[in-house]
Amino acid sequence: KQEVTQIPAALSVPEGENLVLNCSFTDSAIYNLQWFRQDPGKGLTSLLLIQSSQREQTSGRLNASLDKSSGRSTLYIAASQPGDSATYLCAVRHLRNTDKLIFGTGTRLQVFP
Amino acid sequence: NAGVTQTPKFQVLKTGQSMTLQCAQDMNHEYMSWYRQDPGMGLRLIHYSVGAGITDQGEVPNGYNVSRSTTEDFPLRLLSAAPSQTSVYFCASSPDRGIIQYFGAGTRLSVL
């Protein structure tokens, strides 16, 4: 059974720092991996999608990498800002069932001025 | 263009009551799904639909029913609410079954 783990569970950093959020999964037979952002009391916003054949994706200050063989993905946030404060979730789809997203429990990020 | 709309935003039920959580999208997406989010457990898939008239079970379907009579609507029914169903429920839709792009704002449900 696919399990997705995110470490750390919470992170508090000063504004301007570059930071890395980690996501690991137990079954490397994935179709793709997706990073989401969730603000308190709100739904999820898709940030980046990496197909299994890709190594990384970039969007603005965000860069997500994927190492399928080791079961790991990282989300790199450059020059963090207080507006980046949110919970970040990663989720994977299995090759044999692309209809189902398996989510990690998230990393709660706080960026203080 | 409202995206994915969920109603109600909050609901309190007594054990044994039934209710329907509404989800509507105006983007003509074929794929829709329901998740529940519990503390420390992440989001878990309840049911999903790849088009009108087609539904399937997700990871935690017990206690929930769905139907998809139109492309726009995907209601989630609790037939006899239990305290274990206290959670935040999210509906999502996507133009492609391999990508979930749009989430609703959620329904926070408490079952007493």
Side-chain angles (χ1 to χ4, degrees):
Chain A
K1 179 183 174 184
Q2 177 73 275
E3 293 184 2
V4 181
T5 304
Q6 291 186 247
I7 295 174
L11 186 61
S12 183
V13 300
E15 181 177 8
E17 275 203 8
N18 301 323
L19 50 95
V20 174
L21 307 182
N22 297 296
C23 172
S24 61
F25 45 94
T26 55
D27 187 342
S28 62
I30 64 169
Y31 179 72
N32 58 31
L33 182 145
Q34 200 159 359
W35 283 93
F36 294 87
R37 168 185 174 138
Q38 184 177 25
D39 293 286
K42 302 287 181 61
L44 280 67
T45 301
S46 179
L47 297 173
L48 290 164
L49 174 78
I50 309 178
Q51 299 294 348
S52 62
S53 59
Q54 297 175 319
R55 295 300 299 267
E56 65 179 282
Q57 280 286 332
T58 298
S59 176
R61 293 182 295 108
L62 304 179
N63 176 276
S65 67
L66 175 64
D67 184 344
K68 197 173 60 169
S69 61
S70 66
R72 293 191 300 180
S73 176
T74 60
L75 179 67
Y76 177 83
I77 303 176
S80 57
Q81 303 170 358
D84 294 330
S85 298
T87 296
Y88 291 81
L89 299 159
C90 71
V92 299
R93 286 183 181 84
H94 197 275
L95 270 176
R96 289 191 295 276
N97 192 336
T98 60
D99 290 324
K100 300 183 181 181
L101 266 176
I102 307 298
F103 279 86
T105 53
T107 293
R108 189 171 67 254
L109 171 66
Q110 182 181 11
V111 182
F112 53 90
Chain B
N1 193 342
V4 179
T5 302
Q6 289 185 237
T7 56
K9 286 185 168 42
F10 302 94
Q11 183 71 48
V12 179
L13 292 177
K14 295 181 180 178
T15 297
Q17 286 185 316
S18 63
M19 80 158 296
T20 299
L21 279 63
Q22 301 291 343
C23 176
Q25 52 93 7
D26 60 1
M27 298 170 284
N28 203 33
H29 287 172
E30 291 295 326
Y31 184 96
M32 296 185 73
S33 54
W34 276 101
Y35 289 84
R36 59 178 289 173
Q37 184 176 35
D38 302 294
M41 299 193 70
L43 279 80
R44 293 179 292 168
L45 182 65
I46 304 172
H47 285 286
Y48 65 98
S49 168
V50 299
I54 306 170
T55 64
D56 205 347
Q57 296 181 348
E59 188 181 353
V60 288
N62 292 340
Y64 307 96
N65 277 357
V66 293
S67 61
R68 183 94 180 271
S69 56
T70 67
T71 299
E72 294 78 21
D73 300 299
F74 191 42
L76 179 71
R77 297 183 185 85
L78 284 69
L79 301 179
S80 179
S84 61
Q85 294 178 305
T86 293
S87 187
V88 182
Y89 291 85
F90 289 102
C91 178
S93 77
S94 170
D96 184 318
R97 62 195 294 173
I99 302 173
I100 292 183
Q101 295 282 12
Y102 302 96
F103 274 75
T107 295
R108 187 174 297 274
L109 176 68
S110 293
V111 183
L112 306 177

